[in-house]
Amino acid sequence: MTGTFTTRIVDVTTGSAETMHDLTNACTAFLREVAHGRDGLLNVFTPHATSGLAVIETGAGSDNDLLAALREVLPADDRWRDRHGGSGPGRDHMLPALVPPHATLPVIGGELELGTSQSVVVVTTDQGGPDRQVRLSFLG
């Protein structure tokens, strides 16, 4: 099997509040440039200890529901051993255990194969770092 592997870094500004940033358009644009109608896999990875990736419906309230659920499961208080000088950051370092820093998605005919209303988003609860990087890699 002969395939090609292409990768690119995408810079994302997430701001200083917990948020989700939609990466779907960046994924689609990347595949338009590199997939050339081929089937394969898109791997999305964020190399940050306080970010994760999710495939979720956006715009109908699910994005806010996910952030609310994370606030309940990972409250910003002093219970965390990993504090980095203050309360709260320890929970941010737990985020990738619940919202993993990677996703591998099918590409069919050069197009990202998502379900109706699904989007690829980077999730962060860290309010200290406004910038993130995401690596997009296509194998096809």
Side-chain angles (χ1 to χ4, degrees):
M1 178 176 138
T2 302
T4 61
F5 179 80
T6 307
T7 189
R8 172 176 302 151
I9 297 287
V10 176
D11 293 315
V12 177
T13 300
T14 56
S16 59
E18 59 186 24
T19 190
M20 293 196 322
H21 180 85
D22 195 333
L23 299 168
T24 310
N25 288 339
C27 293
T28 300
F30 172 68
L31 290 171
R32 195 173 301 122
E33 290 179 33
V34 302
H36 306 293
R38 292 177 302 199
D39 294 349
L41 295 172
L42 175 68
N43 184 264
V44 186
F45 175 73
T46 182
H48 298 280
T50 59
S51 294
L53 294 160
V55 177
I56 189 171
E57 179 183 28
T58 57
S62 296
D63 35 5
N64 291 327
D65 288 342
L66 176 57
L67 292 174
L70 290 171
R71 281 191 295 274
E72 286 184 33
V73 173
L74 300 172
D77 58 25
D78 63 357
R79 74 182 69 200
W80 309 105
R81 292 183 184 142
D82 177 5
R83 293 198 180 114
H84 285 287
S87 63
R91 72 139 182 176
D92 301 326
H93 290 157
M94 295 298 298
L95 176 70
L98 300 176
V99 182
H102 57 86
T104 301
L105 306 165
V107 176
I108 307 298
E111 301 284 327
L112 186 58
E113 187 76 7
L114 291 174
T116 303
S117 302
Q118 286 184 320
S119 297
V120 182
V121 298
V122 63
V123 180
T124 183
T125 57
D126 182 11
Q127 298 177 11
D131 299 310
R132 298 283 185 264
Q133 289 186 331
V134 176
R135 178 176 294 280
L136 305 177
S137 301
F138 174 71
L139 178 63

